[in-house]
């Protein structure tokens, strides 16, 4: 199995006392007592890395970190990916993508409709994302939750007929297929330039993917970016994908994250798909995202 290990770095820092507390259900753990504004030594980092693999989404509570500290922590896991929508990158920190519904002086400060369809971040790239870190800056008093669906469990529980139908197949992932869809899309999503379009050319990935670090199989399709299964007539492909989406996002397969102030949430895009549930438009919501590049899928 190709190795996908985090970037190694021998950091000489004092150990921190922290707890990894699994959430109820099969996905998710809280990490409590760890201060990400301090460098993590290798033993502490290894515990965090293992928790990320075991629980697929880890929630660091009560963090007070700068953009550079978020970038530095993210880089412990790999190379950071720069989002194609350059206008929503944080000034002087292009590694950070702003997710926000706030409009200031007539200009959106971030992508306001990010994540409105189930997806795995950057699955439209040859090297899709290993994981994403989203750090809360401003949260609405109502709504704004993020849902996570466990794609290993989706595969493990998939009826045999569907398993047989998809095993060995590949699917097309496209950034542009849904790009301009949805209410207010035009205001959030400007026309892509030729240069931007060249960065998001369609790619294919296996419908059933193997996690490069744990070896677990998982479904790797989502309504956000997957457009068709290669080699099937359009209607068959559509029907099959719809069944996979419905199965993956059944309530028992989903963790709902209700954001608390100063949460930093780090999920594994190789194991989960996620969805932003949205909030009333008059309530402000702003989060900062880093996205770590993963391996070629297999
Ligand atoms: C995203 O898809 O990265 C955004 C998720 C969210 O805003 O909850």
């Amino acid at each position: 199995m190709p190795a996908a290990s985090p970037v190694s770095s021998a950091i000489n820092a004092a150990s921190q006392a922290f707890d990894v507390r699994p959430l109820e259900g099969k996905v998710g753990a809280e990490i409590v007592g760890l201060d990400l504004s301090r460098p993590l030594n290798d033993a502490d980092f290894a515990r965090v890395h293992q928790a990320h693999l075991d629980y697929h989404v880890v929630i660091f509570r009560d963090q007070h970190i700068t953009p550079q500290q978020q970038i530095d922590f993210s880089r412990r896991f790999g190379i950071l990916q720069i989002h194609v929508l350059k206008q929503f990158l944080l000034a002087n920190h292009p590694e950070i993508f702003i997710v926000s519904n706030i409009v200031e002086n007539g200009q959106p400060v971030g992508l306001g409709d990010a994540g409105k369809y189930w997806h795995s971040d950057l699955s439209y790239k040859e090297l899709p994302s290993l994981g994403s870190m989203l750090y809360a800056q401003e949260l609405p008093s109502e709504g704004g939750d993020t849902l996570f669906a466990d794609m290993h469990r989706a595969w493990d529980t998939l009826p045999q007929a569907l398993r047989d139908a998809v095993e060995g197949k590949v699917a097309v992932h496209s950034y542009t297929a849904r790009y301009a869809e949805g209410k207010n899309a035009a205001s959030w999503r400007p026309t892509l330039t030729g240069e931007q379009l060249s960065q998001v050319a369609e790619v294919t990935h296996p419908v059933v993917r193997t996690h490069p670090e744990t070896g677990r199989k998982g479904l790797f399709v989502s309504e956000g970016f997957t457009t068709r299964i290669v080699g099937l007539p359009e209607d068959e492909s559509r029907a099959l994908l719809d069944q996979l989406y419905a199965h993956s996002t059944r309530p028992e397969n989903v963790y709902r994250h209700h954001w608390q102030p100063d949460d930093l949430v780090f999920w594994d895009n190789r194991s989960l798909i996620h969805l932003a549930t949205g909030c009333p438009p008059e309530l402000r919501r702003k989060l900062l995202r880093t996205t770590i590049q993963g391996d070629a899928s297999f």
Side-chain angles (χ1 to χ4, degrees), residues 63 114 134 241 268 285:
Q63 297 302 318
L134 197 57
L241 285 173
D268 191 330
R285 184 175 189 268

Side-chain angles (χ1 to χ4, degrees), residues 4-298:
S5 37
V7 176
S8 81
S9 56
I11 290 187
N12 246 335
S15 266
Q16 298 191 48
F18 66 94
D19 291 331
V20 176
R21 298 182 188 159
L23 302 174
E24 275 178 30
K26 295 199 165 49
V27 163
E30 271 185 330
I31 298 195
V32 180
L34 188 68
D35 178 357
L36 295 176
S37 72
R38 294 166 51 193
L40 264 60
N41 68 23
D42 289 346
D44 288 350
F45 177 76
R47 279 184 71 200
V48 169
H49 177 217
Q50 193 58 50
H52 188 247
L53 294 176
D54 290 344
Y55 301 107
H56 315 316
V57 52
V58 287
I59 300 133
F60 301 91
R61 300 289 191 195
D62 200 24
Q63 297 302 318
H64 301 274
I65 58 172
T66 64
Q68 190 58 51
Q69 286 166 334
Q70 181 175 349
I71 291 167
D72 291 346
F73 178 52
S74 304
R75 281 209 175 112
R76 296 286 297 270
F77 292 88
I79 295 168
L80 301 192
Q81 295 170 294
I82 310 290
H83 201 279
V84 65
L85 295 181
K86 302 275 182 271
Q87 67 274 35
F88 300 137
L89 303 179
L90 187 65
N92 304 318
H93 295 289
E95 302 86 351
I96 291 190
F97 179 65
I98 305 171
V99 172
S100 181
N101 64 353
I102 299 169
V103 177
E104 268 165 10
N105 305 320
Q107 293 297 317
V109 307
L111 184 61
D113 64 348
K116 64 179 284 195
Y117 297 102
W118 284 102
H119 66 288
S120 169
D121 285 328
L122 278 66
S123 76
Y124 50 84
K125 302 287 274 186
E126 286 288 347
L127 297 178
S129 163
L130 174 158
S132 306
M133 289 190 195
L134 197 57
Y135 181 32
Q137 306 291 295
E138 287 188 60
L139 296 173
S141 52
E142 183 191 330
D145 294 353
T146 307
L147 307 185
F148 295 94
D150 180 348
M151 299 303 265
H152 298 306
R153 190 157 186 267
W155 170 249
D156 292 345
T157 58
L158 197 66
Q160 191 60 46
L162 283 176
R163 283 179 163 230
D164 294 343
V166 296
E167 200 147 26
K169 296 256 184 320
V170 299
V172 176
H173 292 238
S174 162
Y175 182 67
T176 52
R178 283 202 187 266
Y179 183 73
E181 274 181 32
K183 197 164 165 286
N184 290 331
S187 56
W188 302 117
R189 295 174 184 252
T191 305
L192 297 172
T193 63
E195 159 61 17
Q196 285 172 311
L197 286 170
S198 71
Q199 290 175 33
V200 291
E202 284 185 352
V203 297
T204 58
H205 294 295
V207 174
V208 187
R209 181 179 182 185
T210 305
H211 192 292
E213 295 186 78
T214 65
R216 288 189 71 188
K217 284 184 167 185
L219 285 176
F220 194 60
V221 288
S222 68
E223 60 172 8
F225 296 133
T226 311
T227 54
R228 64 180 192 283
I229 298 179
V230 175
L232 294 185
E234 176 56 31
D235 55 343
E236 265 182 54
S237 161
R238 183 76 274 139
L240 195 47
L241 285 173
D242 285 346
Q243 289 181 80
L244 298 178
Y245 300 157
H247 178 80
S248 321
T249 58
R250 289 178 310 164
E252 63 270 29
N253 203 33
V254 170
Y255 162 63
R256 172 179 285 265
H257 183 67
H258 179 64
W259 290 85
Q260 294 182 17
D262 308 315
D263 274 355
L264 183 145
V265 173
F266 177 30
W267 63 87
D268 191 330
N269 283 305
R270 305 161 300 184
S271 298
L272 305 174
I273 53 174
H274 61 283
L275 174 80
T277 58
C279 68
E282 68 281 7
L283 300 180
R284 291 166 67 100
R285 184 175 189 268
K286 182 178 173 191
L287 307 98
L288 301 181
R289 193 181 91 187
T290 42
T291 312
I292 300 141
Q293 182 174 286
D295 300 281
S297 56
F298 63 96

